């Protein structure tokens, strides 16, 4: 993760929602720490005896944050590519706020309920015993975000190849449901599994491995390419964007180096390029348009967007051409190269 942030400006890496993945990574670490305490893999002395803190606010909340971040990531892609709507404003903040409200409401309710109905520390065994009602309520709530992730992954399987994560999403869902089914079965059939060493260790190990593998699936490939084929892969990635038509469809709404990514993807322009009255622009923009059109008359059919930047984008019959004022091709066009 440190290497990913060090190369955060590398365009294929930035397109993988680095900030959301970082939140998931931190939540996964806290999830693992909560598993150590909840499953009795550390000696519960001192602060470790605070069962409600470690079980509710660390173990349970972290697992919900982990799945919730993945759900929000898939929702953003769903809104842009399937619904052809922008992911910004209320569409971006309302799902996140709803997730925070639901998780806080659940955890706070657990905090103020009497301890015997949630989890209690038993000194004779030095373990935290979880009440069955709290156990099944937490597992039931855990199924909700992962079910939404599964549905969204199925809906996103046919989006543009540049942003298509069909196989990664398939493996992510397999890993997620491995965790989910394993947790459900163990807690339903062996409610006192913490007294058996093999169950405690397997419960913790499967959670840790699967949560780390999901992060690796999302960031591993572009990170590997950044290490060994940095420039070559970036050029291939840009060319693939052009081939898929993503540059053309988002050229009027995205700028390289902007502060956000999905939030600037305007899905309303997905089906057709924006129409612009070029004579309403500044005189300098009109001069730029006229000069570029004249210099590139052999292969440019119609300009799509006039920019105040030196580089101006045009839509050709076979690809989106980017031409600068001197007539040379721009190797760094505007396209959705980062997410958030």
């Amino acid at each position: 993760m440190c290497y990913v942030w060090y190369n955060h400006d590398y365009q294929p890496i930035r397109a993988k929602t680095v900030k959301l993945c970082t939140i998931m990574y931190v939540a996964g670490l806290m999830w693992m720490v909560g598993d150590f305490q909840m499953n009795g893999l550390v000696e519960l002395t001192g602060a470790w005896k605070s069962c409600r803190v470690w079980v509710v606010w660390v173990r349970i909340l972290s697992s919900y944050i982990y799945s919730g971040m993945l759900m929000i990531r898939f929702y953003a892609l769903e809104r842009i590519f399937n619904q052809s709507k922008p992911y910004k404003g209320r569409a971006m903040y309302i799902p996140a706020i709803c997730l925070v409200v639901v998780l806080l409401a659940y955890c706070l309710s657990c905090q103020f309920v009497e301890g015997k109905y949630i989890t209690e520390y038993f000194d004779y065994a030095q373990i935290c015993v979880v009440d069955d009602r709290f156990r099944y309520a937490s597992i039931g709530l855990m199924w909700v975000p992962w079910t939404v992730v599964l549905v969204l992954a199925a809906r996103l399987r046919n989006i543009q190849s540049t942003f298509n994560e069909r196989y990664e999403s398939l493996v992510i869902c397999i890993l997620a449901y491995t965790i989910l089914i394993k947790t459900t079965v163990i807690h339903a059939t062996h409610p006192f599994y913490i007294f058996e060493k093999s169950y405690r260790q397997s419960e913790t190990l499967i959670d840790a491995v699967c949560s780390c593998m999901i992060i690796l699936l999302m960031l591993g490939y572009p990170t590997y390419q950044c290490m060994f084929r940095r420039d070559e892969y970036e050029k291939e990635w840009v060319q693939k964007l052009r081939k898929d038509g993503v540059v053309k469809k988002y050229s009027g709404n995205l700028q390289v180096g902007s502060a956000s990514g999905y939030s600037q993807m305007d899905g309303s322009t997905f089906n057709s390029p924006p129409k612009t009255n070029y004579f309403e622009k500044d005189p300098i923009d009109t001069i730029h348009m006229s000069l570029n059109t004249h210099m590139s008359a052999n292969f440019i059919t119609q300009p799509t967007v006039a920019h105040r930047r030196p580089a101006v984008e045009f839509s050709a019959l076979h690809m989106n051409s980017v031409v600068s004022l001197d007539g040379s091709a721009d190797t760094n066009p505007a396209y959705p190269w980062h997410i958030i």
Side-chain angles (χ1 to χ4, degrees):
M1 188 58 70
C2 292
Y3 182 84
V4 168
W5 272 103
Y6 182 76
N7 293 276
H8 183 240
D9 291 335
Y10 185 61
Q11 296 151 352
I13 287 180
R14 196 155 183 164
K16 292 294 184 178
T17 61
V18 176
K19 292 182 181 178
L20 284 179
C21 290
T22 303
I23 296 175
M24 290 177 62
Y25 181 77
V26 174
L29 291 178
M30 298 303 296
W31 182 357
M32 184 174 62
V33 173
D35 265 345
F36 286 157
Q37 195 276 352
M38 183 177 177
N39 295 331
L41 298 180
V42 293
E43 185 178 356
L44 302 188
T45 59
W48 291 105
K49 291 183 179 180
S50 303
C51 295
R52 202 185 309 234
V53 172
W54 291 104
V55 173
V56 176
W57 292 98
V58 178
R59 201 288 183 192
I60 300 297
L61 181 60
S62 297
S63 64
Y64 291 158
I65 292 175
Y66 187 95
S67 57
M69 291 299 101
L70 189 61
M71 179 177 64
I72 288 177
R73 183 178 186 271
F74 280 10
Y75 164 75
L77 289 170
E78 159 71 18
R79 184 171 177 86
I80 294 165
F81 290 100
N82 286 342
Q83 299 180 18
S84 298
K85 296 179 180 178
Y87 180 66
K88 57 185 177 181
R90 288 183 298 176
M92 181 172 60
Y93 293 115
I94 288 179
I97 293 173
C98 290
L99 178 65
V100 171
V101 170
V102 170
L103 295 185
L104 284 180
Y106 182 73
C107 292
L108 286 173
S109 63
C110 294
Q111 182 67 34
F112 294 111
V113 173
E114 190 177 350
K116 66 179 181 179
Y117 298 116
I118 305 297
T119 178
E120 283 186 313
Y121 176 76
F122 285 83
D123 190 61
Y124 71 90
Q126 292 188 338
I127 59 171
C128 292
V129 176
V130 177
D131 183 75
D132 286 342
R133 286 161 289 192
F134 171 70
R135 183 198 314 273
Y136 297 130
S138 299
I139 292 175
L141 185 60
M142 190 183 297
W143 277 85
V144 176
W146 286 121
T147 301
V148 176
V149 167
L150 180 64
V151 172
L152 292 176
R155 289 178 54 83
L156 291 170
R157 67 187 185 277
N158 293 322
I159 65 174
Q160 275 81 357
S161 59
T162 309
F163 293 94
N164 191 293
E165 298 179 352
R166 181 188 300 114
Y167 301 111
E168 293 93 329
S169 298
L170 175 62
V171 178
I172 286 172
C173 289
I174 292 174
L175 293 172
Y177 275 82
T178 298
I179 297 174
L180 200 57
I181 294 172
K182 175 268 304 175
T183 302
T184 304
V185 171
I186 287 182
H187 282 268
T189 59
H190 296 79
F192 297 102
Y193 73 92
I194 54 176
F195 293 103
E196 300 183 39
K197 185 177 180 180
S198 59
Y199 281 106
R200 289 183 293 161
Q201 292 176 340
S202 62
E203 174 83 356
T204 304
L205 181 63
I206 293 174
D207 286 349
V209 171
C210 290
S211 60
C212 290
M213 286 295 297
I214 290 174
I215 302 293
L216 184 62
L217 281 169
M218 291 192 291
L219 296 176
Y221 184 72
T223 303
Y224 172 85
Q225 296 292 347
C226 180
M227 289 179 178
F228 302 105
R229 299 180 63 246
R230 183 182 181 93
D231 295 334
E232 297 85 347
Y233 179 69
E234 188 173 25
K235 292 177 181 178
E236 294 171 3
W237 195 75
V238 172
Q239 192 62 31
K240 193 175 182 182
L241 282 175
R242 289 175 172 170
K243 183 179 179 182
D244 293 340
V246 178
V247 176
K248 174 182 176 181
K249 292 172 181 177
Y250 292 103
S251 60
N253 300 281
L254 297 173
Q255 299 294 332
V256 175
S258 58
S260 59
Y262 278 171
S263 61
Q264 291 202 4
M265 287 187 181
D266 189 354
S268 62
T269 65
F270 185 79
N271 294 322
S272 60
K275 296 180 180 180
T276 306
N277 185 351
Y278 301 104
F279 296 99
E280 293 178 358
K281 300 287 182 181
D282 292 340
I284 294 297
D285 289 325
T286 306
I287 294 173
H288 287 171
M289 292 297 302
S290 301
L291 179 60
N292 281 314
T293 304
H294 174 73
M295 295 175 65
S296 309
N298 293 331
F299 62 94
I300 295 177
T301 57
Q302 179 183 358
T304 59
V305 181
H307 296 276
R308 295 178 182 272
R309 302 168 55 198
V312 183
E313 297 186 49
F314 297 92
S315 174
L317 292 175
H318 59 288
M319 67 161 47
N320 204 49
S321 302
V322 182
V323 181
S324 60
L325 288 176
D326 60 1
S328 60
D330 187 350
T331 59
N332 189 24
Y335 55 86
W337 59 280
H338 69 288
I339 306 304
I340 62 172

